[in-house]
Amino acid sequence: MSLKKLKEELLYNRLDYKELYNLSPCGYFIATPKGVIIEANQRFIDFTGYEETEVMGEKRLIDFLSLGNKMYYETHFLPQLYYKGEVSEINFEIVKKNNDKIPVLVNAVIVNDKDGEAKFMQATVFNISQRKSYEKELLLAKQKADDLSKELLSKNKALKSHTALILSQKKELEILNRHLETKNKQLSDFAHIVSHNLRSPVFNLQTLLDFYNESVNAEDKQEVVTNIREVANEMHITLNELVDALKIQEEFRKTEDVLSFEAILKTIIVMVSGTVKATQAKITSNFSNAPQITYSSVYLKSAMLNLLTNALKYRALERTPEVHFSTVIKDGCIVLSVRDNGMGIDMKKHRNALFGFNKTFHEHPDSKGLGLYMTRLQIEALGGKISAESEVGLGSTFSIRFKAAL
C-alpha cells in the first residue's frame, strides 16, 4: 500500500492522534526549564501512579525518583542535559504513589527559543521492568554458569591432585619394588659372600700352616704365626661386617662410609698373604686420581678381594704374577681398574657369559664360577657397572664404574 493511500485510510478512519499519544508504549512529558511537568501522556501518568491533576504543574521528574537517583539527577543528569542539550539511555527508578518501584530508561532534549534560551524540556520514559527481569535472569544464569565453572575447575583440580597422588603412589611402589629386588639380591649376595670370601682366608690359613710345618727356622715359624694371626683377625672383622650388614633394615646408602682404596687394598692383601707369598706376586697401585670413595665397606672389600684372588688364581705359570690397582674419574664417576698379566680370557667366545652364574673359563680345581657373578651383583646393587677387557696369554683388565656421586 502506498504512503498516500495509507494516510487517506487513516483520515477515513478518523485516527485519534491524542489516543495514540496517550497509549504510546513509552511515557512522554514536557517540562519547564526548572523541571516542572506541564504536559504528559497517560502512559507516563500511569507510571507514577498519581492522578493527572496531581502531576501537571505540580511535580518534577526528580519528585518521582528514589533517593540515590535524586542525587544522580542533580549532579549528572541536569548538568549534562543543559551542557550538551540532550541525554540518552539514563537509568532511573520511579517510586510510584503506592511506593512500588519501576525501573525506567529516560531520554531527554532541551528545546530552545529563537534566541537560544531553554524553552522547555522534552523527555521519553521507557518502562524496562521486563528487560531488568531478563537481565536478572541472565545474571543469575551467568552466576550459575560461573559457579558451575568453579565447581568443574575445583573437581578438575581435585582430579588432577588425585591423578598426581596415584602417579606418586605408583612411583613409590616402583621404588619400593626395586628396593625389595635390591634387598633380595643383597641377601643372596651375602650368602655367596659368606662362602666365597671366607674360602680364600681359609685356604690361606691352610697354606700358612703348610709353611709353618715345613719351616725349620724359628724366625720363619714366628713370621708365619704372625701372618696366621693377621688372617684370623681379618676373618673376624669380615664376619662381623657381614653379620652387621645382614641386620640392616634401612637403605644401603645409610651404611656407606668414606673409604680409602689404599687401606682396603692393604687389608685384602693381608687376607691372601699366603697366596701372595707362595706365588711371589707383585701387587702395585696408584689411587692418586681418586683416593677415596663413599661406599659400602663390605661390598668394596668383597669386589676388590674377588678381583685380586681371580688374578692370582688364573695367573700365567710361566711368569711372575703382577696385579695393578688404579682409579680415575670419568664423567663424574670413579672408575676402579684391576689389571693383571695372567692367562687372559677369550672375549670373543666368553664376553656375554663372563659375569654369569656358575660360568668358568679355565680348567682350575678351585673354579666355582661365583666370583665375577657376585662382584657384578654387588656393584649393580649399588648402581654401578663392571666390565672387562682381556686377551688370551696377555692378561685382563677389570673396570668397576661406581654410581655417580650426587
Side-chain angles (χ1 to χ4, degrees):
M1 183 181 295
S2 67
L3 181 60
K4 182 179 179 181
K5 287 186 177 181
L6 180 61
K7 287 183 178 180
E8 288 175 354
E9 186 172 339
L10 290 174
L11 289 173
Y12 176 79
N13 290 314
R14 296 184 179 181
L15 180 66
D16 188 345
Y17 285 99
K18 183 67 174 178
E19 184 178 359
L20 177 63
Y21 169 71
N22 284 318
L23 296 179
S24 171
C26 69
Y28 175 81
F29 70 85
I30 300 174
T32 67
K34 292 185 178 180
V36 179
I37 297 172
I38 57 176
E39 176 63 38
N41 69 351
Q42 189 60 45
R43 184 70 65 183
F44 179 76
I45 298 300
D46 292 342
F47 285 167
T48 67
Y50 288 86
E51 296 295 330
E52 182 177 349
T53 56
E54 295 177 291
V55 176
M56 302 298 188
E58 300 291 333
K59 299 286 187 181
R60 298 171 300 166
L61 176 61
I62 192 173
D63 296 328
F64 301 112
L65 303 181
S66 61
L67 180 61
N69 286 172
K70 289 179 189 292
M71 295 177 62
Y72 186 85
Y73 180 88
E74 294 284 359
T75 58
H76 291 79
F77 181 84
L78 283 182
Q80 184 177 342
L81 176 63
Y82 283 101
Y83 176 73
K84 291 185 176 181
E86 64 178 38
V87 290
S88 301
E89 305 290 313
I90 303 299
N91 276 287
F92 282 128
E93 193 173 55
I94 287 180
V95 181
K96 301 179 70 171
K97 187 175 182 178
N98 63 1
N99 287 323
D100 287 344
K101 296 177 181 179
I102 60 171
V104 295
L105 202 63
V106 177
N107 295 275
V109 296
I110 292 293
V111 179
N112 297 322
D113 60 18
K114 61 182 179 178
D115 297 324
E117 295 294 329
K119 189 176 181 181
F120 53 83
M121 175 179 65
Q122 289 181 321
T124 58
V125 182
F126 290 89
N127 184 345
I128 57 173
S129 298
Q130 195 171 29
R131 192 176 83 174
K132 287 290 185 179
S133 177
Y134 291 154
E135 289 178 354
K136 186 175 181 180
E137 289 179 7
L138 287 173
L139 288 173
L140 287 173
K142 182 178 181 299
Q143 183 62 46
K144 288 181 179 179
D146 290 343
D147 292 342
L148 180 59
S149 178
K150 289 179 181 178
E151 183 179 357
L152 288 174
L153 287 173
S154 176
K155 289 185 177 181
N156 188 46
K157 185 177 180 181
L159 181 60
K160 287 182 178 179
S161 177
H162 291 158
T163 302
L165 178 61
I166 291 172
L167 290 174
S168 175
Q169 291 175 340
K170 180 182 177 183
K171 187 175 181 180
E172 289 177 3
L173 287 173
E174 289 174 351
I175 293 173
L176 179 59
N177 186 50
R178 288 196 298 268
H179 180 72
L180 290 174
E181 288 178 354
T182 300
K183 284 293 184 183
N184 287 335
K185 282 186 177 180
Q186 290 168 357
L187 290 174
S188 177
D189 291 347
F190 285 132
H192 291 306
I193 290 171
V194 170
S195 62
H196 189 271
N197 285 28
L198 294 182
R199 186 182 292 113
S200 292
V202 169
F203 177 76
N204 195 38
L205 284 175
Q206 291 174 340
T207 303
L208 290 172
L209 287 173
D210 290 339
F211 274 118
Y212 182 85
N213 292 330
E214 293 172 2
S215 297
V216 293
N217 186 291
E219 292 182 2
D220 290 341
K221 285 182 176 290
Q222 184 59 44
E223 182 182 353
V224 172
V225 170
T226 300
N227 288 336
I228 290 174
R229 286 175 179 170
E230 291 176 347
V231 173
N233 184 56
E234 288 303 325
M235 286 179 64
H236 178 72
I237 293 173
T238 299
L239 283 171
N240 286 337
E241 288 177 342
L242 290 172
V243 171
D244 291 340
L246 284 171
K247 293 179 181 178
I248 292 172
Q249 299 298 319
E250 298 180 359
E251 294 182 3
F252 232 80
R253 179 165 292 279
K254 295 182 181 179
T255 70
E256 294 177 349
D257 299 305
V258 178
L259 306 173
S260 164
F261 284 104
E262 191 67 47
I264 297 293
L265 180 58
K266 288 180 179 179
T267 298
I268 65 173
I269 289 175
V270 170
M271 295 174 69
V272 294
S273 58
T275 304
V276 172
K277 186 172 183 179
T279 60
Q280 298 182 339
K282 182 180 179 181
I283 301 173
T284 59
S285 64
N286 181 4
F287 301 117
S288 58
N289 290 322
Q292 293 180 325
I293 188 172
T294 301
Y295 206 69
S296 163
S297 174
V298 173
Y299 274 19
L300 183 60
K301 189 180 295 183
S302 177
M304 292 178 68
L305 177 62
N306 282 337
L307 294 178
L308 177 57
T309 54
N310 268 7
L312 297 178
K313 183 186 298 182
Y314 302 112
R315 64 189 179 276
L317 299 180
E318 65 273 15
R319 53 181 174 266
T320 300
E322 295 180 0
V323 186
H324 181 70
F325 287 76
S326 63
T327 54
V328 295
I329 296 178
K330 291 183 179 179
D331 301 324
C333 299
I334 295 176
V335 179
L336 169 68
S337 295
V338 181
R339 186 183 72 245
D340 65 59
N341 64 343
M343 299 168 63
I345 302 169
D346 186 345
M347 296 300 284
K348 290 183 179 180
K349 183 178 180 181
H350 300 298
R351 183 181 295 276
N352 294 333
L354 185 59
F355 297 100
F357 181 71
N358 265 352
K359 301 297 182 181
T360 58
F361 313 103
H362 298 288
E363 296 295 330
H364 194 284
D366 291 332
S367 294
K368 302 295 182 182
L370 292 178
L372 292 180
Y373 170 73
M374 283 194 305
T375 301
R376 178 180 67 82
L377 290 183
Q378 294 160 12
I379 298 303
E380 290 181 353
L382 294 185
K385 290 184 178 181
I386 183 170
S387 60
E389 292 299 329
S390 184
E391 189 172 345
V392 176
L394 297 180
S396 306
T397 299
F398 289 87
S399 297
I400 298 174
R401 184 186 182 91
F402 298 98
K403 184 179 179 181
L406 296 178

